[in-house]
Amino acid sequence: SPILTVPYFTEKVRQYDTIRVPFLVYRPGAEKLKVSFYVDNVEVLTDEYATTVTEPHYWPYTLGRAGEVKLKIAFTSFPDIFYETVL
């Protein structure tokens, strides 16, 4: 089964802070997977990453506006959605 894990938890960050969101992607038999990143439902990046269950990859993103921001990491049909409050 495909696995997408985003073990990211934070309370609040300031506008223009850069966050580093760790994530793991894995699918048996696959060496690389295409992963897409979204901010407020707009795709901002798609790239390929090696599948792993031990060493996380990181998505660095600079939060450019204040308020609640919807962040999503997805591959295939397995999204992981989380929200960030930006001061």
Side-chain angles (χ1 to χ4, degrees):
S1 296
I3 297 171
L4 170 62
T5 302
V6 182
Y8 178 78
F9 299 97
T10 186
E11 292 182 14
K12 295 182 180 178
V13 295
R14 297 192 184 278
Q15 188 175 5
Y16 305 115
D17 280 355
T18 298
I19 58 173
R20 285 178 29 103
V21 181
F23 66 96
L24 299 170
V25 290
Y26 178 74
R27 178 186 287 161
E31 290 184 22
K32 290 188 176 188
L33 293 171
K34 187 180 289 189
V35 180
S36 298
F37 304 88
Y38 300 81
V39 176
D40 293 327
N41 294 320
V42 176
E43 186 175 332
V44 295
L45 174 68
T46 295
D47 209 345
E48 286 192 346
Y49 294 88
T51 63
T52 178
V53 292
T54 57
E55 294 295 323
H57 299 288
Y58 290 91
W59 173 31
Y61 187 75
T62 301
L63 298 159
R65 67 169 181 80
E68 187 174 77
V69 177
K70 179 181 179 181
L71 304 171
K72 178 171 78 169
I73 299 176
F75 79 97
T76 65
S77 60
F78 294 92
D80 196 335
I81 299 170
F82 51 101
Y83 294 86
E84 189 67 73
T85 301
V86 183
L87 302 176

